Amino acid sequence: MNRRRFLTAVGAGAAGLVAGCSAEPTDDGSTETGSGSTDTPDTGGTATEADGTATAEGTVTGTASGGTPLLRVGTYPSFVDAPSSSPGPWLKERFEAEFDAELQWFAPESSMDYFLQRRQQGVSIDTDLFLGLAPENLVKADRAVGEGESMFTSVDTADLSNADAVVGDYRFDPQDRAIPVGASYISLVYNQNALDERGAAAPETFDDLASAPYENGLLVPNPQNSETGLEFMFWTIDQFGEDGYLDYWSDLMNNGTRVLQDWGTAYDAYSNDEAPMVVSFSTDQVYADRYDQDMARHQVGFLNNSGYAYLEGAAPFTGTDQMGLATEFIDFVLQPAVQAEIAQRNVALPAVDNAELPSDYYDLVYEPEEIVSFGYDELMGNVEPWLSDWSRQIATQ
Amino acid sequence: MRVTRVAERLTAPALAVATLVLLSLLFFYPVGIVLVEAVRVDGVYTLATVVEVLRDPFFFGVFAQALSDPTVLVESFPDYRLGLFGFTAYQALLSTVAAIALGLPGAYVLARFEFPGRKTIRSLTALPFVMPTILVAIGFVATFGANGVITGVVQALGIEVSTFTGTLGIIVLAHAFYDAPLIARITAASWEGIDAEMTETARSLGASPLRSFRDVVVPQLLPAILTGALLTFIFSFMSFAIVLALGGLSKATVEVWVYHRISQLDYGTASTLATMEMLFSLALTYAYLRYEARQRATSAARPPDRIDLVGPATRRRLFAWGYAVVAVVVFVVPIVSLVYSSLTGPEGLTLRNYRFLVERQTSAYAFQVKPLTAVTNSLVFGAGTLLLAVPMGVFLAVVSTRQFRGRKLIDTLSMAPFAVSGVVVGLGLLRGWVFGTEAFGYRFTVTGGLAIVAAHAVGAYPFVTRNVAPALAGIDGSIVESARSLGASRARVMLDIELPLVVPAVLAGTAFAFAISIGEFDSTVILATGDSSYTMPVAIERFIGRRLGPATAMGVVLLVVTSVSFVIIDRLGEGSGFGG
């Protein structure tokens, strides 16, 4: 072992590691969101280099190079980076083509929780708005930051040219912080071939799912990690009440229902024929059609003639210094043509009633007779106890 | 001359301080941030959460019930409610037994037989162990799921079964798959070190082969087997992705619960559980280290000759061949199933999953995950990990072989990362360093990439220590004493005599550290928040959507990179005496 060479190598490497660290004085109010962004250094040698690493982590916002306004939009990963067709890239291109602004996506793995954690730690969020906020996310955020404060700030709907077209059932924030930008319905997706083999008809009610013909037949994404699973749980609470849903779940589990990590895992397992039914979306056939799959394996089933509405909103973060641009962005996203395109790329529904989708799109999208969804007030203070009781029941050994 | 002496004398304490400082920054401080929440509610320190958890039958089953009503121990005997902790320990125990049953024959074949490819296979014994759990899960589903190869075979035998997934059995088997190679590896190394003369002596004194095996070989193997068993137990106790993916919530373990509590921002319960989990694992580690100190074997003067695997059928050869068949089924089938599923689609055999990777590489946007960037990031983080983990691991090995008061404590603390889950380390680093820490009027922050390297180094250095410490302890004391009597300082003896003698062990530890960095998922996924710090396992997770295809293709890329880099590093050790 050549000691000198070893020490030199370690020294060089250590220098590289140190380059990833930085220290800023705390007395300039750097914990305030967006403050000081007007004097962002965008010229200068070492200063820019030092901030280069910081920008990747998002400590600097405000203007992009050349004075173009920069809008940082947080979202969940698959909105910008799904293996199929995420709307993110298209949305960025169209927005930048129409406005003199740069759109920067930021999609941390833990999605909204990342921003909540930063907020709880008193660290700046440095993102202007979040796209893809579910009602329960909003409730969670409001519970996490405490009384009288909010992660998000209200949007003046008068500034949104297409606001009147937003479907009434889809509005979920009484304070208009989150503006609905997309929807879909939680439903069953089932494999008719596999049910035929069992000699079972399509399940029509919640009680069917817990009965003998459907034994070991259902895959559910874990409500703890997945909006899809969580909203399916809400759906059962709507059907059986706060006092009855746990008993129903007990029947479901005794019938061999499996709770899997998240929607992707559950859907994979379903695709691998691990079970004939999965909790998914009523737009499933749009996707199946796109890849020329056997429609018998992509049948959509509503239970008790109802379906739970999965809603997504866009909400500006409190303290953003780009409120004007953020509002313009939401206005843009609500345009009928943009809504139609996002819906198709996200395999979902538009949040407005005047979006023009291809005539055959609705042939493949199923809508329930009765739309179920809990509003903000019903969710507030209930999500955690419901979920906690449910989790303990499922995990009890 | 005197200055040099002083400098040399100061080297060891300086290194000790440096390592402890690094450990504090990379591990104790971030984890401390998370653990403090176990005893702090709304800014007030209290044991309320801890007591609440201890008294909750959901967590401690019959033991919690017994706290308020001891008669329950008698009344419900033996049908005890296990609780989350009980169930976790139970599955870990089953997993450990299964891993030993699967790993020991492997150690025997590797240590006592000669066959082409033996060294490569021995290198690969570490591969399933460092395989990202997400791949283990996919491979096991492809093998034991509803459409799985093995499921099909079982069904063909007339046994009615729809799928093995979601059962305790499949979790135990996956853990055995994961940890048996580790047991084989550690035990084989120890087996090779058994002096042939001792067995021959026993035989010449009239002992039967079985008797000499039981009385001579087994006692010498026990420390290695127990090392492997302890590691397997702790790993299975803290297993995360495998339990999550194969068992679902109904087979949740403590670790899975910690993760879920964190995702509900319930840091109080999460921290309390993580602390209890950690204390339990640390206690095991401490007990083991005390045991190991008394058991350390010295290396063999003359290892016995290996038996050729090919030749006339003897009982030994039949056993070895029989084991080879089992090993192929258990170890190779899941990997082959993974590769196979990357090459198939609804239309049959296809390359479109790989085409997807190439398209992603050429046309993806900056904010999307590119396969080649993921490979590069993984390799860079792997190199960074070695830079931190190897010196830290080696030095802690040195400390752990010295005699002084409190050595066991330092020893145990240095093994602490074994006892803390990746989820907690990742969360602590995120909250402590990535979000920033305020001190002396400054807010100190590090980038996500650096935090990832820190998390990997923390997870990896104990492997270096565990490889190097036994080798250091095995060095003949008389060599050290001669050098000292000839006037060499302790530091000089260390650098010029002891370290060169343990180079093979250092290289083995390096290989482990690198592979662990490449495959680490739990903390990386928490820390890879930027667009530029994703690794291969994170890319796999991103590529899982409605179609498994692209993810399995990325999985195969990871498999190849891990295997190649691992075999290369492992082979580097050969020339210097490391047995491949």
Side-chain angles (χ1 to χ4, degrees):
Chain A
M1 181 190 281
N2 184 328
R3 231 183 305 146
R4 186 163 297 159
R5 205 164 56 197
F6 174 74
L7 289 175
T8 315
V10 169
L17 291 175
V18 168
C21 309
S22 67
E24 295 161 30
T26 49
D27 53 4
D28 69 351
S30 64
T31 53
E32 297 291 318
T33 310
S35 74
S37 55
T38 46
D39 51 31
T40 301
D42 49 11
T43 52
T46 49
T48 312
E49 281 218 1
D51 282 334
T53 49
T55 310
E57 291 306 308
T59 55
V60 178
T61 57
T63 53
S65 54
T68 316
L70 174 69
L71 187 72
R72 270 177 69 94
V73 185
T75 188
Y76 53 91
S78 68
F79 193 82
V80 295
D81 193 12
S84 46
S85 55
S86 350
W90 178 85
L91 199 55
K92 174 181 161 75
E93 272 178 21
R94 289 306 303 269
F95 180 72
E96 289 178 353
E98 208 147 308
F99 294 82
D100 182 26
E102 185 187 336
L103 192 163
Q104 206 174 75
W105 288 116
F106 183 56
E109 289 297 325
S110 50
S111 194
M112 258 307 295
D113 286 348
Y114 175 83
F115 299 101
L116 269 179
Q117 284 176 357
R118 281 189 86 95
R119 170 68 195 235
Q120 287 186 325
Q121 292 282 107
V123 189
S124 62
I125 284 173
D126 297 321
T127 305
D128 299 302
L129 79 156
F130 190 86
L131 182 71
L133 191 70
E136 50 272 21
N137 294 148
L138 183 67
V139 167
K140 190 175 180 180
D142 282 352
R143 301 264 301 167
V145 298
E147 288 292 309
E149 285 186 71
S150 178
M151 286 267 291
F152 303 102
T153 186
S154 297
V155 180
D156 187 352
T157 47
D159 293 338
L160 305 173
S161 56
N162 201 27
D164 294 341
V166 172
V167 178
D169 279 345
Y170 293 169
R171 294 180 184 275
F172 62 87
D173 182 7
Q175 299 173 50
D176 280 334
R177 292 163 298 176
I179 306 297
V181 293
S184 50
Y185 296 106
I186 308 285
S187 71
L188 281 189
V189 168
Y190 61 90
N191 180 344
Q192 189 59 59
N193 302 337
L195 290 183
D196 286 346
E197 268 177 44
R198 293 173 172 232
E204 289 184 351
T205 64
F206 278 97
D207 290 327
D208 281 350
L209 288 184
S211 67
Y214 305 97
E215 194 181 349
N216 299 325
L218 181 64
L219 302 171
V220 182
N222 189 339
Q224 296 180 97
N225 315 324
S226 138
E227 301 303 334
T228 321
L230 183 59
E231 296 187 353
F232 179 66
M233 189 193 85
F234 290 160
W235 193 6
T236 63
I237 295 174
D238 180 80
Q239 295 292 322
F240 297 95
E242 268 188 276
D243 302 321
Y245 82 106
L246 290 177
D247 290 338
Y248 175 68
W249 275 94
S250 161
D251 295 343
L252 265 192
M253 298 310 287
N254 288 337
N255 205 33
T257 295
R258 283 173 59 206
V259 176
L260 297 180
Q261 189 179 351
D262 52 26
W263 177 80
T265 316
Y267 201 87
D268 284 343
Y270 172 74
S271 306
N272 282 328
D273 292 323
E274 285 201 27
M277 304 180 291
V278 63
V279 170
S280 186
F281 300 95
S282 71
T283 44
D284 192 68
Q285 291 192 1
V286 174
Y287 156 80
D289 183 57
R290 199 174 284 167
Y291 294 96
D292 286 328
Q293 297 193 350
D294 177 9
M295 280 300 171
R297 291 171 57 105
H298 294 272
Q299 292 297 305
V300 171
F302 291 112
L303 299 169
N304 300 2
N305 292 321
S306 65
Y308 196 96
Y310 180 113
L311 305 173
E312 291 188 328
F317 282 112
T318 305
T320 170
D321 58 342
Q322 294 285 4
M323 191 55 198
L325 193 56
T327 310
E328 279 183 305
F329 174 76
I330 295 174
D331 183 50
F332 174 75
V333 170
L334 279 183
Q335 296 308 309
V338 178
Q339 279 286 298
E341 188 68 31
I342 292 178
Q344 291 176 67
R345 287 175 183 267
N346 224 13
V347 196
L349 294 167
V352 295
D353 56 19
N354 58 354
E356 284 181 26
L357 283 145
S359 55
D360 59 346
Y361 192 79
Y362 284 101
D363 294 346
L364 298 170
V365 175
Y366 295 83
E367 297 196 44
E369 279 174 34
E370 186 204 344
I371 297 175
V372 175
S373 77
F374 285 133
Y376 181 87
D377 296 327
E378 288 162 298
L379 293 177
M380 197 65 187
N382 281 327
V383 180
E384 296 104 290
W386 285 343
L387 188 56
S388 171
D389 290 347
W390 179 88
S391 313
R392 278 169 165 255
Q393 167 155 327
I394 303 297
T396 292
Q397 291 287 336
Chain B
M1 191 65 192
R2 181 164 293 173
V3 177
T4 332
R5 278 281 165 83
V6 171
E8 273 179 350
R9 194 162 297 163
L10 285 177
T11 315
L15 275 174
V17 169
T19 308
L20 278 177
V21 167
L22 263 182
L23 256 187
S24 308
L25 292 177
L26 302 182
F27 182 69
F28 294 123
Y29 168 68
V31 171
I33 287 181
V34 179
L35 297 190
V36 159
E37 308 230 11
V39 288
R40 200 173 60 181
V41 180
D42 298 326
V44 181
Y45 288 88
T46 164
L47 282 176
T49 320
V50 178
V51 172
E52 201 181 305
V53 166
L54 278 174
R55 299 183 68 94
D56 191 337
F58 174 74
F59 293 115
F60 284 95
V62 72
F63 302 106
Q65 290 170 303
L67 279 182
S68 49
D69 177 20
T71 57
V72 80
L73 285 173
V74 183
E75 281 164 10
S76 61
F77 179 83
D79 189 22
Y80 288 151
R81 182 177 168 186
L82 289 173
L84 205 57
F85 271 87
F87 172 73
T88 308
Y90 175 63
Q91 66 81 22
L93 187 68
L94 292 182
S95 301
T96 308
V97 170
I100 289 176
L102 195 59
L104 275 191
Y108 170 65
V109 173
L110 279 174
R112 302 290 292 112
F113 286 88
E114 190 56 65
F115 52 92
R118 189 184 67 85
K119 287 179 178 174
T120 308
I121 288 185
R122 201 187 142 166
S123 298
L124 289 176
T125 50
L127 184 60
F129 175 66
V130 294
M131 233 171 110
T133 44
I134 204 162
L135 289 187
V136 178
I138 295 173
F140 265 69
V141 167
T143 316
F144 297 98
N147 270 358
V149 185
I150 300 292
T151 318
V153 172
V154 171
Q155 282 164 344
L157 291 174
I159 301 165
E160 232 177 275
V161 64
S162 56
T163 175
F164 291 100
T165 46
T167 61
L168 179 59
I170 200 73
I171 296 175
V172 168
L173 193 63
H175 286 161
F177 166 88
Y178 215 54
D179 294 325
L182 175 74
I183 290 187
R185 191 182 178 84
I186 295 175
T187 313
S190 166
W191 213 317
E192 283 161 356
I194 292 175
D195 204 325
E197 239 161 69
M198 293 178 70
T199 338
E200 282 158 17
T201 312
R203 292 295 306 279
S204 70
L205 292 171
S208 69
L210 199 66
R211 178 77 194 263
S212 72
F213 176 76
R214 199 188 64 198
D215 291 351
V216 177
V217 179
V218 171
Q220 295 192 62
L221 291 183
L222 262 184
I225 297 173
L226 280 172
T227 308
L230 176 92
L231 295 180
T232 304
F233 187 87
I234 294 179
F235 288 146
S236 305
F237 193 86
M238 302 203 307
S239 174
F240 174 57
I242 286 180
V243 180
L244 206 59
L246 292 176
L249 184 64
S250 52
K251 296 281 177 291
T253 56
V254 176
E255 180 64 13
V256 169
W257 203 257
V258 168
Y259 167 74
H260 285 316
R261 288 334 293 165
I262 288 173
S263 74
Q264 301 309 314
L265 306 177
D266 177 7
Y267 299 123
T269 314
S271 306
T272 306
L273 292 175
T275 310
M276 289 175 177
E277 189 184 39
M278 195 183 89
L279 290 177
F280 179 68
S281 307
L282 275 179
L284 281 180
T285 312
Y286 179 77
Y288 160 72
L289 288 169
R290 284 197 72 89
Y291 166 80
E292 190 205 43
R294 282 176 303 171
Q295 299 288 327
R296 249 172 208 158
T298 48
S299 62
R302 182 172 72 82
D305 295 330
R306 289 208 172 82
I307 308 159
D308 223 319
L309 189 60
V310 188
T314 60
R315 245 191 310 182
R316 286 179 165 201
R317 283 206 181 95
L318 283 178
F319 176 81
W321 281 107
Y323 177 74
V325 172
V326 174
V328 165
V329 171
V330 178
F331 295 112
V332 178
V333 168
I335 295 172
V336 169
S337 304
L338 171 70
V339 176
Y340 176 75
S341 72
S342 79
L343 289 168
T344 47
E347 70 275 25
L349 279 178
T350 173
L351 279 176
R352 71 166 191 190
N353 296 326
Y354 292 91
R355 210 158 46 230
F356 167 84
L357 294 188
V358 175
E359 280 164 15
R360 255 304 155 91
Q361 187 57 39
T362 50
S363 63
Y365 290 80
F367 51 80
Q368 293 184 322
V369 167
K370 291 187 183 189
L372 202 59
T373 317
V375 175
T376 320
N377 283 344
S378 279
L379 293 177
V380 169
F381 293 151
T385 300
L386 295 189
L387 227 48
L388 285 173
V390 173
M392 279 166 70
V394 168
F395 188 72
L396 282 166
V398 172
V399 172
S400 77
T401 47
R402 292 283 164 77
Q403 294 300 330
F404 60 91
R405 276 173 72 89
R407 183 175 71 87
K408 278 282 156 283
L409 184 67
I410 292 219
D411 226 8
T412 309
L413 282 182
S414 73
M415 290 294 117
F418 269 152
V420 183
S421 70
V423 173
V424 170
V425 173
L427 186 74
L429 282 165
L430 184 72
R431 284 154 57 100
W433 288 119
V434 176
F435 290 169
T437 288
E438 283 180 24
F440 317 116
Y442 283 88
R443 176 171 278 270
F444 295 91
T445 52
V446 305
T447 61
L450 192 65
I452 289 173
V453 170
H456 289 188
V458 157
Y461 82 81
F463 285 85
V464 180
T465 308
R466 297 261 41 83
N467 271 286
V468 176
L472 272 179
I475 289 173
D476 193 344
S478 61
I479 303 178
V480 176
E481 276 155 29
S482 325
R484 292 283 279 161
S485 66
L486 291 170
S489 69
R490 193 65 193 85
R492 179 147 292 284
V493 172
M494 186 82 245
L495 285 171
D496 288 352
I497 295 175
E498 291 174 297
L499 280 184
L501 279 173
V502 297
V503 162
V506 174
L507 285 170
T510 306
F512 262 111
F514 190 74
I516 279 168
S517 166
I518 298 283
E520 211 282 336
F521 178 74
D522 302 356
S523 55
T524 313
V525 79
I526 291 175
L527 294 165
T529 45
D531 306 331
S532 56
S533 51
Y534 50 85
T535 61
M536 286 187 278
V538 175
I540 290 170
E541 199 252 4
R542 282 261 174 137
F543 290 157
I544 293 181
R546 282 169 182 259
R547 294 171 296 151
L548 199 55
T552 53
M554 190 66 215
V556 171
V557 172
L558 171 58
L559 199 60
V560 170
V561 173
T562 312
S563 315
V564 168
S565 49
F566 193 85
V567 170
I568 288 174
I569 295 185
D570 207 33
R571 279 294 167 89
L572 281 180
E574 265 194 287
S576 36
F578 179 55

